[in-house]
Amino acid sequence: MHAQTPQQQPSQVIGACPHDCPDTCSFITTVEEGRAVRVQGNPAHAHTGGVLCAKVSKYAERSHHPERLLTPLKRSGPKGSGCFTPVSWDEALSDIAARLAAIARKNPQAILPYSYAGTMGLVQGESMDRRFFHQLGASLLDRTICSSAGSTALSLTYGGKFGMHVQHFAESRLILIWGSNSIGSNLHFWRHAQEAKRQGAKLICIDPRKSETADKCHVHLQLLPGTDAALALGLMHELIVHDWLDHDYLQHYTLGWEQLRARALEWPPERAAGVCGLEAAQIRALAHDYAHMQPAAIRLNYGVQRTRGGGNAVRAIACLPALTGAWRHRAGGLLLSCSSHVPAQRAHLQMPELLGQRRPRTINMSTIGDALLHAGNAHGPEPFGPRIEAVVVYNSNPVAVAPESAKVVQGFAREDLFTVVMEHFMTDTADLADYVLPATTQLEHWDIHGSYGHTDVLLNRPAIAPQGQARSNARIFRDLAAHMAAHNGAFAATHFQTPDEQLCREAMDASRVDFELLLSQGHASLDLPEAPFAQGEFATPSGRCEFASSVLAAQGQDPLPDYLPNYETGASDARYPLAMISPPARNFLNSSFVNVQSLRNIEGRPLIELHPEDAAERGVSEGDLVRVFNQRGSYECAATLNGRARKGVVNGLGIWWRKMGHNGTNVNELTHQQLTDMGNGPSFYDCAVQVEALVA
Ligand SMILES: Nc1nc2c(c(=O)[nH]1)N[C@H]1C(S)=C(S)[C@@H](COP(=O)(O)OP(=O)(O)OC[C@H]3O[C@@H](n4cnc5c(=O)[nH]c(N)nc54)[C@H](O)[C@@H]3O)O[C@H]1N2
Ligand SMILES: Nc1nc2c(c(=O)[nH]1)N[C@H]1C(S)=C(S)[C@@H](COP(=O)(O)OP(=O)(O)OC[C@H]3O[C@@H](n4cnc5c(=O)[nH]c(N)nc54)[C@H](O)[C@@H]3O)O[C@H]1N2
Ligand code: SF4
Ligand SMILES: [Mo]
């Protein structure tokens, strides 16, 4: 055995999982000879409890993947031909700066940033990038693709994204797991739910799919997609007629009770059951449990808000714990997101003041297909402004994840569109770029993270050197600013030079988060009350839980939650009689990890789950290839009759890369760009299709 130099000693570095997942785990990377050999859960971080999900356990495999992008690439053939030539950073950045500067001279709003939560880090996700685009005066992006309906609804009701502490679910007597496949997408919450179950709690899953989580709950209410508001109103009806109410809580801490009462009384369980495709007795039983098994907690997740009425559904469900006073106990109440607790210094990181007097238009990321295809106008009845001439994509893979892919692809395929994609891999979006810039992974850069599923703050230290010539997002924007300075002196300012580690130091309110503690142990807990709304203290304008929203009323909208039917149901168009939802695959994270072989082996191949009767009507047997289609497009995949689909509903799992699909498409070939009732979000799970056997 040869002697090791100090650098060759295995070392362990504390980091944070960057993914868009409510768990925000603390992880430890073991490094040997400059390579990450293992990524494991940090046992010292209570929420992580030493456990990572299967996906991120493969993070070393992902980071050292043989197909990692290691040099800047410049397109050398027609768009989408896959022909790229390696170029130096200097050449790439000079050319990109010149192209963007030329567009900006005409109208900077023709430039659009496109990013989401490929990393949730404040530094690599929303700092130098925003400074850069603010200085440029580029179009703003409304980042709606995941959670905006639910977030808006929660904020209207509670005044922000606040909720129960996740660890207190372990003490609940009843847990409603509503629109969440927790085992797949919120594993560390599930550990607390399991603990509660061991202590005798009852677990009830509310989900159109018989998910892995539904399998483990005592009761599964398999309602039709997009009918949750009707269910919540039916529950309220029962709470009211039996007087299972906390009148003191209602009187002191809520707004609009009399109005909500009148609305809920329009929803006897029979009516709600008819809408939801459930039995009235199931709704009665749920209401009885909810009133009598206290403390009662609701783990709501974003799966519930991806239909036309998703915002109203979240508002209706969010009212429930105020009716029964469940909030009085720390193990009662609701958790959708608690991200408003994070003391992030966003204005400091993003510097919107760099816009000066300019007020650029905002483009909704959920309708990127339509936006890219818009010819542009400045003066129409609905002014769109200039045609989009350049897009800079980072932390996102819109060609795979955005709805109505045919239009998204057509948009990104425009020969006259200048597209820069910063990525780890050659994704479907990178395939259509003019420049592809290699980005570092979480193992290679600094970052700092809040969470939307717990109330700790985490620091991520780099464990290994950047692979190849990869650079962090923040560094790429710093370097691009330096090249832009040749065209516009404002980019020479020192706020375009702040290093990543310094941005981490400045990202959080220092009076709330001790950075030295983060440096030493990687995580720090926020000091917060045990039960957020035990004594009211909602962050709404009225200080109350707003059943009737003063904000909605001021906008001339219905101030109360209501049931809004889906845009598309299996009944709305005879040609497309099946409702399709497309929830996450357990071993992928949106479209990330699809290219990690060990995880793809577990998922197998693109598939839909079909009810055996729907399959029989179409002559489809287990494992057959099928064509799922509607007026927007067609997606070929395998069908499974595994018992997880309800009759009339198809489950298209996961966001496969299009190029790995059977006919080069994925499930978003079928989804549409109509928006949710609140927050301008996408309605991915509000989609009607037909299925037919594919004749080979
Ligand atoms: N393994 C894995 N984990 C993930 C992700 C992933 O892709 N894979 N994605 C991450 C992201 S981006 C997010 S936003 C979060 C949360 O993402 P969510 O979308 O909340 O993810 P899930 O918890 O899988 O839950 C969605 C569940 O809602 C159900 N559902 C669909 N339509 C309806 C409906 O109308 N009503 C009700 N009640 N339920 C419905 C689906 O069947 C599914 O079981 O998860 C994150 N975690
Ligand atoms: N049909 C259907 N569509 C959906 C959903 C659904 O349930 N059904 N879910 C929706 C939801 S909830 C969400 S959140 C969106 C998610 O959509 P996206 O935010 O686009 O998420 P990902 O598909 O994971 O793509 C993230 C990309 O960022 C890259 N990335 C990661 N870290 C970095 C980094 O540090 N730098 C750079 N430059 N790149 C990085 C990854 O390699 C990956 O390709 O998809 C939505 N689309
Ligand atoms: S994806 Fe979620 S569960 Fe998996 S390691 Fe990251 S934070 Fe933890
Ligand atoms: Mo998401």
Side-chain angles (χ1 to χ4, degrees):
M1 217 177 115
H2 63 271
Q4 287 185 327
T5 63
Q7 291 92 326
Q8 288 173 322
Q9 295 282 341
S11 65
Q12 297 205 310
V13 183
I14 301 181
C17 175
H19 286 296
D20 186 352
C21 168
D23 294 25
T24 321
C25 291
S26 172
F27 63 44
I28 297 178
T29 305
T30 304
V31 182
E32 287 177 15
E33 299 184 3
R35 275 182 80 84
V37 293
R38 256 187 316 281
V39 177
Q40 291 165 296
N42 182 356
H45 180 236
H47 182 73
T48 306
V51 183
L52 301 178
C53 64
K55 308 174 287 294
V56 174
S57 302
K58 304 289 183 197
Y59 208 80
E61 183 180 343
R62 186 180 185 277
S63 290
H64 292 296
H65 196 291
E67 287 158 16
R68 265 293 293 279
L69 293 166
L70 300 174
T71 64
L73 299 172
K74 182 180 182 180
R75 175 162 74 87
S76 53
K79 256 209 181 161
S81 64
C83 299
F84 288 92
T85 311
V87 291
S88 70
W89 272 106
D90 208 45
E91 185 184 338
L93 293 176
S94 304
D95 193 21
I96 294 167
R99 299 282 301 261
L100 295 181
I103 298 170
R105 268 193 294 278
K106 289 182 294 168
N107 189 341
Q109 296 184 64
I111 300 169
L112 178 71
Y114 195 97
S115 73
Y116 199 64
T119 167
M120 297 280 288
L122 287 169
V123 172
Q124 308 307 343
E126 39 185 319
S127 65
M128 197 54 76
D129 53 318
R130 309 297 166 96
R131 291 183 187 181
F132 180 87
F133 291 111
H134 286 145
Q135 181 63 62
L136 201 56
S139 286
L140 302 172
L141 184 73
D142 199 2
R143 292 178 169 80
T144 55
I145 200 143
C146 167
S147 61
S148 63
S151 302
T152 304
L154 200 71
S155 297
L156 287 168
T157 318
Y158 299 162
K161 287 178 264 177
F162 302 110
M164 288 173 60
H165 295 281
V166 63
Q167 63 271 25
H168 295 156
F169 278 86
E171 301 161 17
S172 308
R173 302 295 297 160
L174 176 74
I175 304 179
L176 308 187
I177 300 180
W178 202 324
S180 168
N181 182 11
S182 315
I183 291 181
S185 64
N186 194 187
L187 190 64
H188 294 76
F189 153 76
W190 180 248
R191 294 167 70 229
H192 297 299
Q194 287 283 89
E195 176 57 23
K197 193 179 174 191
R198 278 192 291 275
Q199 302 296 324
K202 185 167 181 176
L203 269 49
I204 299 181
C205 179
I206 303 173
D207 196 313
R209 174 170 184 255
K210 188 171 181 294
S211 64
E212 296 82 349
T213 306
D215 289 342
K216 297 269 163 44
C217 289
H218 298 97
V219 176
H220 176 209
L221 294 183
Q222 198 167 11
L223 79 185
L224 287 165
T227 63
D228 303 83
L231 176 58
L233 288 161
L235 290 175
M236 287 181 207
H237 180 280
E238 286 303 284
L239 298 176
I240 293 166
V241 298
H242 292 99
D243 198 23
W244 293 328
L245 301 166
D246 183 333
H247 290 282
D248 183 66
Y249 198 94
L250 286 168
Q251 187 190 338
H252 290 104
Y253 307 136
T254 70
L255 185 74
W257 165 235
E258 284 306 323
Q259 293 153 273
L260 181 67
R261 186 174 180 280
R263 171 72 48 90
L265 286 174
E266 296 167 14
W267 284 92
E270 283 70 18
R271 179 180 175 203
V275 168
C276 299
L278 297 172
E279 300 293 328
Q282 291 176 289
I283 299 179
R284 291 209 164 84
L286 179 62
H288 187 277
D289 284 346
Y290 189 65
H292 293 91
M293 304 188 78
Q294 304 245 359
I298 301 175
R299 182 54 168 111
L300 189 61
N301 212 340
Y302 287 112
V304 85
Q305 46 96 67
R306 298 198 175 107
T307 58
R308 175 183 168 221
N312 270 275
V314 168
R315 292 239 318 122
I317 297 164
C319 293
L320 292 168
L323 265 68
T324 58
W327 284 118
R328 291 184 190 275
H329 196 290
R330 69 177 191 173
L334 176 146
L335 174 62
L336 171 60
S337 163
C338 52
S339 64
S340 295
H341 286 301
V342 181
Q345 310 265 64
R346 285 204 163 77
H348 172 73
L349 289 176
Q350 304 182 7
M351 302 185 71
E353 68 273 20
L354 296 178
L355 283 170
Q357 298 304 310
R358 299 170 296 177
R359 291 289 170 270
R361 67 169 166 197
T362 299
I363 299 279
N364 186 344
M365 71 186 306
S366 299
T367 49
I368 185 66
D370 280 346
L372 289 177
L373 295 177
H374 202 295
N377 64 27
H379 314 290
E382 283 182 66
F384 176 81
R387 183 168 169 86
I388 298 172
E389 292 181 42
V391 191
V392 181
V393 181
Y394 52 104
N395 298 344
S396 185
N397 183 11
V399 171
V401 306
E404 205 173 358
S405 314
K407 290 191 177 166
V408 184
V409 172
Q410 203 189 334
F412 275 102
R414 272 173 45 198
E415 280 291 340
D416 64 335
L417 182 74
F418 179 63
T419 306
V420 178
V421 176
M422 299 156 52
E423 252 301 346
H424 300 152
F425 295 106
M426 210 64 201
T427 59
D428 291 327
T429 309
D431 282 341
L432 294 171
D434 293 276
Y435 276 100
V436 183
L437 304 178
T440 46
T441 71
Q442 190 79 341
L443 302 189
E444 300 149 52
H445 56 226
W446 284 94
D447 217 331
I448 187 164
H449 294 252
S451 173
Y452 60 100
H454 64 66
T455 49
D456 300 337
V457 171
L458 274 66
L459 184 71
N460 182 73
R461 284 170 178 270
I464 54 174
Q467 300 297 288
Q469 297 178 38
R471 294 183 182 178
S472 74
N473 291 346
R475 175 164 178 206
I476 298 174
F477 283 105
R478 271 200 305 275
D479 294 350
L480 190 56
H483 283 83
M484 284 300 283
H487 306 277
N488 175 348
F491 282 97
T494 52
H495 46 249
F496 289 113
Q497 293 155 22
T498 323
D500 293 18
E501 186 184 342
Q502 184 59 26
L503 288 166
C504 285
R505 286 182 180 271
E506 296 171 8
M508 299 276 180
D509 175 351
S511 70
R512 307 265 321 271
V513 178
D514 178 354
F515 196 79
E516 298 308 313
L517 187 65
L518 286 178
L519 280 173
S520 66
Q521 66 173 34
H523 57 93
S525 296
L526 298 170
D527 188 15
L528 294 166
E530 290 264 283
F533 305 129
Q535 269 116 32
E537 299 180 271
F538 291 89
T540 53
S542 64
R544 290 160 175 258
C545 178
E546 295 203 357
F547 297 153
S549 160
S550 50
V551 177
L552 288 175
Q555 293 169 357
Q557 299 189 52
D558 183 353
L560 294 171
D562 203 355
Y563 161 66
L564 302 181
N566 279 4
Y567 291 113
E568 298 187 353
T569 66
S572 52
D573 183 335
R575 292 172 301 167
Y576 310 116
L578 299 168
M580 187 189 77
I581 57 171
S582 47
R586 189 168 168 182
N587 295 288
F588 301 150
L589 210 135
N590 302 319
S591 78
S592 297
F593 296 101
V594 175
N595 62 329
V596 175
Q597 187 68 48
S598 58
L599 294 169
R600 198 162 70 241
N601 290 345
I602 308 175
E603 288 298 326
R605 52 184 177 159
L607 59 78
I608 56 159
E609 297 170 339
L610 200 59
H611 189 273
E613 286 174 31
D614 292 327
E617 282 170 23
R618 292 164 177 78
V620 173
S621 311
E622 175 67 31
D624 282 358
L625 273 181
V626 292
R627 195 168 80 90
V628 192
F629 62 98
N630 59 21
Q631 64 276 39
R632 292 174 290 275
S634 117
Y635 170 45
E636 293 175 11
C637 63
T640 176
L641 286 45
N642 60 5
R644 299 203 179 279
R646 74 163 275 168
K647 185 157 166 51
V649 179
V650 174
N651 310 326
L653 293 187
I655 318 181
W656 284 76
W657 286 14
R658 287 167 61 85
K659 56 184 161 187
M660 291 184 177
H662 190 252
N663 64 333
T665 62
N666 71 13
V667 74
N668 278 321
E669 195 75 8
L670 306 165
T671 52
H672 56 73
Q673 297 179 71
Q674 293 186 85
L675 301 177
T676 50
D677 52 352
M678 291 172 202
N680 298 315
S683 28
F684 288 116
Y685 303 169
D686 180 338
C687 177
V689 300
Q690 178 59 293
V691 174
E692 65 182 19
L694 201 64
V695 190

